[in-house]
């Protein structure tokens, strides 16, 4: 049997980027042979094994045949007679369809290295159209690799996939997986531009499509600010919706984003403008209460971080908000409760103490 490093590890090495994970393809082997050599089987849909020492993944060379809609509708054929070139042919882009032998020899049957030099995303074969996740992956790669463009023939194929309804079969979790990864790249705006250019954005995230249509510059500047300041995922997701609370709710529900991301997007849309207008202690206390900041201060600090990157919003005093939050959270609720008398008086007494604390630092 012959073993090759394939895919992203080869691509990133040629680009001079750090190689984080390595994937291997095994040609000429059977599952029985892999087991004899001490590999541990882990693949459910096709034969994948973990190396007995490094625990890296080794997949048997395979081909795939479309058997249904979406990215799960495939019949897999893995056998010792599948060649390396056949295995590489089923991959999405030429830059991901290269392999490296043990002696360092590059195997590049579909000219991926030339596309790397040209900074071009080009599909390997018409089979690209069989998996709608590949549209999302191309968009995510655009967010990651600066200066790369989608080859015209690949963009045309992506557009035809959208028109055929393939993206409508994507499961929400997979959409979120790709979108979230793209949001954390260096140029997240490029992901949305690519999705828009092929029509997929309006199908997967119509709310972001609407924002891009009416305020592309504002969205771009917000995302650039988020990257510049290293904002985490929840804040970047929240920046996609401006003041549109219903849009934030709908998009988050559709692709089943984590609750923390969903909550922050809604809170930013609802309260982003209040950070500047809430200049009194009472107004700030109300904003803190609406964000549940006394139990979960990260919600308010997240809203502040994201709001600072919504450059259309009025400027607000982040230091004053931090001081007010720290003062309010410093109130000893237990001590206040003991002095309140009746149980029904406790909530109002605690709020009064928090208000007094905020006033003391205003």
């Amino acid at each position: 049997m012959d073993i090759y490093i394939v895919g992203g590890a080869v691509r990133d090495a040629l680009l001079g980027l750090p190689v984080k994970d390595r994937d291997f393809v095994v040609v000429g082997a059977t599952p029985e042979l892999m087991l004899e050599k001490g590999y541990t089987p882990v693949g459910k849909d096709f034969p994948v094994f973990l190396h007995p020492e490094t625990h890296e993944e080794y997949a048997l060379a395979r081909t795939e045949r479309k058997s249904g809609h979406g990215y799960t509708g495939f019949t897999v054929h893995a056998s010792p007679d599948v060649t390396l070139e056949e295995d590489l042919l089923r991959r999405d882009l030429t830059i991901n369809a290269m392999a490296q032998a043990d002696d360092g020899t590059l195997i590049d049957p579909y000219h991926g290295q030339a596309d790397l030099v040209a900074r071009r995303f080009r599909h390997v074969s018409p089979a690209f159209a069989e998996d709608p996740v590949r549209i999302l992956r191309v968009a995510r790669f655009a967010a990651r690799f600066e200066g790369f463009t989608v080859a015209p023939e690949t963009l045309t194929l992506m557009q035809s996939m959208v028109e055929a309804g393939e993206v409508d079969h994507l499961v929400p979790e997979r959409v979120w997986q790709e979108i979230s990864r793209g949001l954390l790249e260096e140029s997240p705006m490029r992901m949305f531009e690519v999705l828009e250019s092929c029509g997929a954005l309006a199908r997967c995230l119509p709310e972001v499509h609407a924002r891009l249509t009416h305020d592309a510059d504002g969205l771009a500047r917000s995302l650039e600010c988020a990257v510049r300041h290293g904002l985490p995922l929840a804040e970047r997701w929240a920046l996609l919706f401006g003041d549109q609370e219903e849009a934030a709710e709908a998009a988050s529900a559709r692709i089943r984003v984590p609750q923390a991301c969903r909550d922050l997007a809604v809170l930013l849309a609802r309260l982003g403008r209040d950070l500047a207008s809430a200049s009194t202690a009472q107004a700030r206390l109300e904003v803190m209460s609406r964000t549940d900041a006394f139990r979960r201060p990260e919600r308010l600090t997240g809203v502040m971080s994201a709001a600072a990157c919504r450059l259309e919003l009025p400027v607000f005093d982040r230091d004053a908000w931090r001081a007010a939050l720290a003062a309010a959270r410093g109130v000893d609720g237990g001590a206040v409760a003991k002095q309140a008398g009746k149980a029904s008086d406790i909530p109002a007494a605690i709020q009064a103490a928090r208000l007094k604390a905020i006033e003391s630092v205003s």
Side-chain angles (χ1 to χ4, degrees):
M1 68 183 197
D2 297 308
I3 297 174
Y4 303 88
I5 301 174
V6 294
V10 179
R11 175 199 67 219
D12 289 351
L14 290 172
L15 287 171
L17 299 174
V19 175
K20 298 178 181 179
D21 298 302
R22 298 189 303 171
D23 293 315
F24 297 84
V25 160
V26 184
V27 177
T30 62
E32 293 75 19
L33 179 59
M34 299 296 285
L35 293 174
E36 288 176 13
K37 291 182 174 294
Y39 288 79
T40 303
V42 294
K44 294 180 180 179
D45 300 321
F46 50 86
V48 179
F49 299 82
L50 297 182
H51 190 280
E53 296 177 2
T54 67
H55 303 294
E56 293 176 303
E57 289 191 356
Y58 287 68
L60 298 188
R62 67 186 190 272
T63 59
E64 296 172 345
R65 181 174 56 83
K66 186 71 169 175
S67 58
H69 289 294
Y71 77 98
T72 58
F74 291 92
T75 300
V76 174
H77 171 68
S79 73
D81 61 351
V82 176
T83 67
L84 177 63
E85 288 74 18
E86 288 173 326
D87 182 275
L88 296 175
L89 182 64
R90 66 177 175 77
R91 296 171 186 268
D92 52 4
L93 300 173
T94 60
I95 63 171
N96 298 326
M98 296 179 284
Q100 187 178 55
D102 282 343
D103 62 2
T105 301
L106 181 69
I107 297 92
D108 182 18
Y110 308 110
H111 313 295
Q113 189 171 24
D115 283 331
L116 278 183
V117 173
R119 307 186 81 77
R120 176 173 55 219
F121 299 128
R122 183 169 57 86
H123 61 284
V124 179
S125 78
F128 179 99
E130 297 175 353
D131 185 355
V133 169
R134 290 173 170 177
I135 293 176
L136 299 175
R137 280 171 55 83
V138 171
R140 174 167 62 82
F141 285 141
R144 179 182 179 188
F145 297 112
E146 185 178 358
F148 276 68
T149 59
V150 182
E153 63 270 29
T154 300
L155 181 59
T156 298
L157 183 57
M158 291 164 61
Q159 291 167 338
S160 69
M161 292 167 67
V162 173
E163 292 168 2
E166 273 292 322
V167 296
D168 300 330
H169 296 283
L170 286 168
V171 297
E173 292 82 0
R174 195 59 195 272
V175 176
W176 170 246
Q177 181 183 27
E178 296 297 330
I179 293 294
S180 62
R181 292 177 70 181
L183 278 171
L184 290 172
E185 297 291 0
E186 287 298 305
S187 301
M189 186 65 179
R190 284 285 295 132
M191 172 174 63
F192 297 113
E193 290 171 344
V194 168
L195 291 175
E196 179 72 5
S197 68
C198 70
L201 190 61
R203 305 291 277 270
C204 295
L205 285 171
E207 299 82 5
V208 182
H209 162 72
R211 175 81 190 279
L212 194 64
T213 300
H214 296 102
D215 187 24
D217 183 62
L219 179 57
R221 292 192 300 152
S222 291
L223 291 175
E224 288 167 3
C225 175
V227 172
R228 191 163 58 249
H229 292 282
L231 296 191
L233 177 59
E235 280 87 329
R236 298 190 189 199
W237 173 250
L239 285 170
L240 300 180
F241 306 102
D243 290 329
Q244 302 302 308
E245 184 179 340
E246 290 185 3
E249 281 272 22
S252 297
R254 183 184 309 103
I255 62 172
R256 301 176 190 172
V257 308
Q259 193 66 45
C261 296
R262 181 176 183 169
D263 289 348
L264 192 63
V266 172
L267 287 172
L268 179 64
R270 183 185 300 164
L271 302 173
R273 294 187 181 278
D274 292 346
L275 295 174
S277 62
S279 56
T280 66
Q282 180 63 47
R284 286 180 175 167
L285 178 62
E286 290 174 2
V287 170
M288 291 179 199
S289 297
R290 293 172 70 187
T291 58
D292 196 19
F294 308 117
R295 291 191 308 152
R296 293 183 284 181
E298 72 280 358
R299 286 157 62 99
L300 179 56
T301 57
V303 168
M304 288 194 293
S305 295
C309 279
R310 278 186 54 192
L311 305 182
E312 80 279 8
L313 293 181
V315 175
F316 62 95
D317 190 337
R318 294 180 72 177
D319 290 337
W321 273 102
R322 291 191 188 101
L325 178 60
R329 295 192 71 239
V331 170
D332 186 339
V336 174
K338 289 179 181 179
Q339 299 175 0
K342 293 187 298 182
S344 60
D345 294 335
I346 292 175
I350 292 176
Q351 285 295 79
R354 288 169 175 165
L355 178 61
K356 185 176 181 180
I358 295 171
E359 290 173 338
S360 71
V361 297
S362 297

